Every structure is written in structure tokens, then in C-alpha cells.
Amino acid sequence: MSGHWTGTYSFVTGAVRFSDLAYIAMSADELDKANYPHTDFVEWDNHAWRDGGRVLWPTAGMSIAQKPLQQMCAVGIHGEVLLLGSGDRHEEQIGDSREAIQARGPLRGVRTIGETSTPSE
């Protein structure tokens, strides 16, 4: 399966939650050529691949949050957030709106500090 991905996707970033659980963010090469903002996520869980879904924004970084749930936290350049794991998958927005983040400038990454994930400019 990885050979297929490397022929059609570019790897953006990843995060390891446990020795047998990791998350990978990828970008579809054809969609990149068309300037279509997106990120595709996959989970590698105990030697099995799972589809983590697609978001319609480019990912700036990824980390593992411990609270309120232990899960992957992916952050987009305009404050978009995807939380995935521990039986939950949902999106959030940093700040009041995407436009508020755009006015300040793009986010460049995310890091786990203590038990929470914190975006960085």
C-alpha cells in the first residue's frame, strides 16, 4: 500500500502516539497541481491502515494532545484544527474565525506542551 501512496501522494507530516499507532498527513499530488487546498489523513494502528479522512485545508503541523482526550491534533495554516483518536474525530477553529488568523499571518506548526497541543506562528 505504501508504494501506491508514494506514487500519488506527498507526505506532509506525521506523529506517533504509541509504538503501534501513528498518524500521517498526506497531500494528493494531482490536487496540489490544481491548487486545491486539502490534507488526507491515515492511521497506522497495530499493523493495519485506516482512513482518517480528508480536510479542505493544508496542514501546518501535527502533534499528540493528552487532554481532554489523547489524540492526534493537526493544525492548518489559518487556524483549522482536526482532532482524531480515542473514538473521536472532529474539527475546530482557533480564534474567532479563519479570517482572524489570516490577518495575523499563517500558523507554521503545532507542539505538545505539557498535555495540550499549542499552535506556533
Side-chain angles (χ1 to χ4, degrees):
M1 191 172 223
S2 62
H4 170 73
W5 288 347
T6 57
T8 57
Y9 286 88
S10 294
F11 296 101
V12 175
T13 190
V16 176
R17 188 165 144 200
F18 299 116
S19 63
D20 63 348
L21 178 58
Y23 302 90
I24 300 170
M26 302 181 298
S27 183
D29 297 335
E30 289 298 317
L31 294 178
D32 282 342
K33 289 177 189 175
N35 292 320
Y36 185 78
H38 72 285
T39 305
D40 292 307
F41 294 90
V42 293
E43 293 177 291
W44 182 77
D45 187 4
N46 198 24
H47 306 283
W49 292 103
R50 279 199 302 247
D51 182 2
R54 173 177 283 169
V55 295
L56 300 179
W57 38 267
T59 296
M62 181 188 293
S63 68
I64 303 297
Q66 301 298 317
K67 289 186 177 181
L69 296 173
Q70 188 178 71
Q71 55 193 174
M72 180 274 295
C73 175
V75 174
I77 61 173
H78 300 300
E80 308 92 337
V81 178
L82 173 67
L83 297 158
L84 176 64
S86 294
D88 176 60
R89 182 190 191 282
H90 72 277
E91 292 186 52
E92 296 181 5
Q93 175 66 48
I94 296 172
D96 295 336
S97 68
R98 181 180 174 157
E99 291 74 25
I101 297 294
Q102 284 177 307
R104 293 185 57 203
L107 296 177
R108 303 282 186 212
V110 62
R111 301 287 182 264
T112 301
I113 299 174
E115 295 182 336
T116 59
S117 294
T118 304
S120 57
E121 296 178 32

